[in-house]
Amino acid sequence: MKLLSKAAGVCAVTFIAAAPVQAQDVTLKIAHFLPSNSNAQVNVIEPWCEQLGAESNGRIKCQIYPSLQLGGTAATLPDQARNGVADIVWMGPGFSTGKFPRTEVLELPFILPTGNEASNKLIWQFYNDHLKDEYKAYEVLAMFTGGGMDLHMRNQPVRKLEDIKGKKVRASHRVGANILEAWGAAPVSMPPAQMTEAISKGVVDGALASWEVVPSTKLDEVTQYHSAIAEGDPAISHTILAMVMNKRKYDQMPADLREILDRNSGDALVQRFGVAWDKFTRDAKAASAPGSLVDIAPEDYAALQQAAASVSDDWVKDATRRGINAAELLEAARNLSTPAQ
């Protein structure tokens, strides 16, 4: 009986080994923090998933979980990707204070130009040159900007430094809060989903935010005035965003499907985000109420820059104390937008 059982076991193994290998399908669980009608999901994530599906003959599928449907907060999205709660997350590194300290250099005041497509190329270059070690726990599919941030105010325009002093303003990340403090404002941290209600109730006076979130969060319904720094000029700040993937999930994908994912990520996905964000930003500005866009005079723009300069100085001191080559990173970030001679 024992010999028969052993022989049967050998036959079973041989049969399994000889069976034809079935083409493996992959389902990617993608989580993010904005509603399902957001620009990110409708104009980038969904078309990107459709492209992956088409090129893989349906073997790559996506399940998208907007509005933090897998639990947690915007700050814990990187942990969800690392721990496998989600396979891919679209997140803001700056929302997770202290987790990606080197990336903060790209959010410092007046470093990168307003506008997405050009800035995205610079950010992706900077990631490849300086930030890979910071994300070694992930497979990074794209890194880009949410666009230059402007001030969206409830009932008083901000044209100069004096206008922002004493105002309570929502900040999306630590650097943004530091900029507001340097200007004499009172920063208030809260996720995008809460800021519209907070402004409508007068809990805060406005928000420092990119135009991309304005329609999806209905920020335009509770703010009357929007500062409008010209495209191409250095922005007040940027929200750096990224699509990162669970490393184990990526490594376990069949080689042919991983090649499709790679081909549609990196430069291709960064460009996809840039095109969608620029169009969405232009459309959001065009849809704003007449008279709501507030130009900032050159001398007042310079005063805002000067008042915020201490934020970068303090960042270098703090980051250096933590063992980061901060001065070198800041110089490299500033040189990104300096045309080659």
Side-chain angles (χ1 to χ4, degrees), residues 19-25 59 254:
V21 177
Q22 299 259 337
Q24 183 182 341
D25 291 355
R59 290 172 57 208

Side-chain angles (χ1 to χ4, degrees), residues 17-147:
V21 177
Q22 299 259 337
Q24 183 182 341
D25 291 355
V26 171
T27 298
L28 301 174
K29 294 188 295 182
I30 304 175
H32 67 88
F33 57 93
L34 286 180
S36 59
N37 67 341
S38 61
N39 177 41
Q41 177 161 332
V42 173
N43 296 316
V44 180
I45 299 175
E46 289 178 1
W48 180 70
C49 284
E50 290 170 5
Q51 186 77 23
L52 295 178
E55 293 188 18
S56 66
N57 293 319
R59 290 172 57 208
I60 298 179
K61 301 175 179 64
C62 294
Q63 294 175 350
I64 304 174
Y65 298 87
S67 301
L68 300 169
Q69 289 178 359
L70 294 180
T73 65
T76 62
L77 282 171
D79 295 331
Q80 291 185 13
R82 192 181 67 250
N83 298 331
V85 175
D87 299 317
I88 296 173
V89 299
W90 174 63
M91 57 91 171
F95 300 163
S96 305
T97 302
K99 193 178 291 292
F100 305 100
R102 289 168 177 80
T103 307
E104 277 190 338
V105 71
L106 296 173
E107 296 178 335
L108 290 174
F110 302 102
I111 292 290
L112 291 169
T114 299
N116 289 77
E117 201 168 353
S119 290
N120 284 0
K121 293 177 183 177
L122 301 178
I123 290 166
W124 188 239
Q125 174 189 333
F126 192 86
Y127 162 75
N128 281 289
D129 291 344
H130 302 284
L131 299 179
K132 281 192 170 183
D133 282 349
E134 188 150 271
Y135 295 86
K136 60 187 177 183
Y138 309 91
E139 184 66 29
V140 177
L141 305 179
M143 184 175 291
F144 62 104
T145 173

Side-chain angles (χ1 to χ4, degrees), residues 156-168:
Q156 182 179 334
V158 173
R159 291 189 172 89
K160 51 190 177 181
L161 186 60
E162 289 73 19
D163 295 336
I164 193 67
K165 291 185 183 296
K167 296 291 187 293
K168 293 177 290 183

Side-chain angles (χ1 to χ4, degrees), residues 209-260:
S210 67
W211 277 91
E212 191 273 335
V213 303
V214 171
S216 60
T217 61
K218 300 183 179 180
L219 190 59
D220 51 337
E221 296 180 10
V222 297
T223 54
Q224 296 184 51
Y225 300 102
H226 315 274
S227 63
I229 292 175
E231 187 166 339
D233 286 345
I236 295 170
S237 181
H238 280 259
T239 298
I240 301 303
L241 298 165
M243 285 268 281
V244 302
M245 184 172 181
N246 177 273
K247 193 79 171 174
R248 181 177 175 84
K249 179 78 171 187
Y250 176 82
D251 290 340
Q252 290 180 341
M253 289 182 69
D256 61 330
L257 298 189
R258 193 164 58 241
E259 189 277 330
I260 293 171

